[in-house]
Amino acid sequence: LQLSLSCAPRLWRGAEEACARELPAPAMEAVAASLEAAKVEADAKLSAALEEGLDQLCASLTPRLKPRLDALRDRSYVLGSDEALAAAESASLVGPLVGELEAAMASVRSGLSADNAEALLGKLLSHCAQRIEALLLTKRVDMFGALQFERDVRALTGRLGALSSRSVRGHTARLTQVTALLSLEREAELAELWADGGLRLSAAEARAILALRVEFKKEAIAAVKLPS
């Protein structure tokens, strides 16, 4: 499918040139319009088929990642001390997850073009980021845990970047913004962060993230005014 999409422009151009040689100008105008419509339709169908195929391949690989991602269920982000923070740092989940992701990609990479391999990797990275965010929302976090989660996300972004020839920051952008929210010192600082703009989180999502902090009060979070 990727090869078909790559060759399609040259084939359509050849068809147009052949028609132009054989047909008078008035007839060519009608044919050109028909060719353009057919070209757009064919390209859309090929692109959709390629996307569907990559989605199916991604879905077949995500079960391999599930045990590594679900290990986050047992990871506490209420640490309470520098000593507990140091212990959590030494037991990072990033290495095992990235190792499994590398193995998953290696199992299919030989059958993919470079572009399709990058597209598949992007889908897997997005899946991982979404799952991590979902699991985090089931937890409580203290000041030390917020620092640990920030380290986890930074390490994950760095390790994933080594797997791809493209930037992976777009896939982990929401997680990075979650770390910024969890690292706030006071509930009221949410207004300042919100005013800076660029957050991919909604107001409700931002408040839900802040509510994970054991030191923050829900009433104070709800009282923060966020302009729409």
Side-chain angles (χ1 to χ4, degrees):
L1 286 172
Q2 181 67 52
L3 182 60
S4 297
L5 280 168
S6 300
C7 294
R10 179 170 55 84
L11 295 174
W12 285 113
R13 190 164 53 251
E16 291 172 1
E17 291 172 354
C19 289
R21 286 194 301 269
E22 300 297 329
L23 296 174
M28 183 56 198
E29 291 181 6
V31 171
S34 297
L35 283 174
E36 182 61 26
K39 173 185 174 183
V40 171
E41 182 182 2
D43 286 352
K45 288 182 177 180
L46 285 171
S47 296
L50 177 59
E51 190 71 14
E52 182 181 358
L54 288 172
D55 284 341
Q56 291 177 357
L57 185 53
C58 178
S60 74
L61 295 175
T62 51
R64 295 185 55 163
L65 305 176
K66 189 176 186 301
R68 302 301 185 184
L69 290 167
D70 285 355
L72 186 62
R73 292 183 188 277
D74 300 324
R75 187 167 178 78
S76 176
Y77 286 102
V78 179
L79 302 178
S81 68
D82 287 322
E83 292 76 13
L85 176 60
E89 178 74 9
S90 65
S92 175
L93 304 175
V94 172
L97 173 59
V98 174
E100 191 62 50
L101 186 56
E102 285 182 301
M105 285 299 302
S107 69
V108 297
R109 191 180 292 275
S110 63
L112 299 172
S113 68
D115 285 344
N116 284 341
E118 287 291 345
L120 175 62
L121 179 59
K123 289 179 180 294
L124 289 170
L125 298 187
S126 293
H127 169 80
C128 290
Q130 291 166 10
R131 184 59 180 160
I132 290 170
E133 183 178 335
L135 288 170
L136 179 72
L137 288 172
T138 67
K139 296 184 169 295
R140 300 304 305 279
V141 181
D142 67 3
M143 177 182 67
F144 296 98
L147 180 56
Q148 180 56 52
F149 187 69
E150 179 184 12
R151 291 176 179 176
D152 286 342
V153 172
R154 190 166 60 245
L156 180 65
T157 302
R159 289 287 302 275
L160 293 178
L163 296 182
S164 176
S165 61
R166 303 173 185 172
S167 173
V168 302
R169 294 189 180 277
H171 300 290
T172 59
R174 278 180 62 99
L175 287 179
T176 300
Q177 292 175 0
V178 167
T179 68
L181 287 165
L182 290 174
S183 298
L184 296 179
E185 296 183 1
R186 296 178 294 110
E187 297 95 329
E189 291 179 352
L190 172 58
E192 300 173 20
L193 185 62
W194 189 266
D196 290 339
L199 286 180
R200 299 190 180 191
L201 300 158
S202 67
E205 288 172 330
R207 294 183 196 276
I209 294 297
L210 276 195
L212 301 179
R213 279 286 298 272
V214 298
E215 301 92 345
F216 292 169
K217 298 183 182 302
K218 291 184 178 180
E219 296 80 6
I221 296 171
V224 177
K225 294 182 179 179
L226 301 178
S228 56

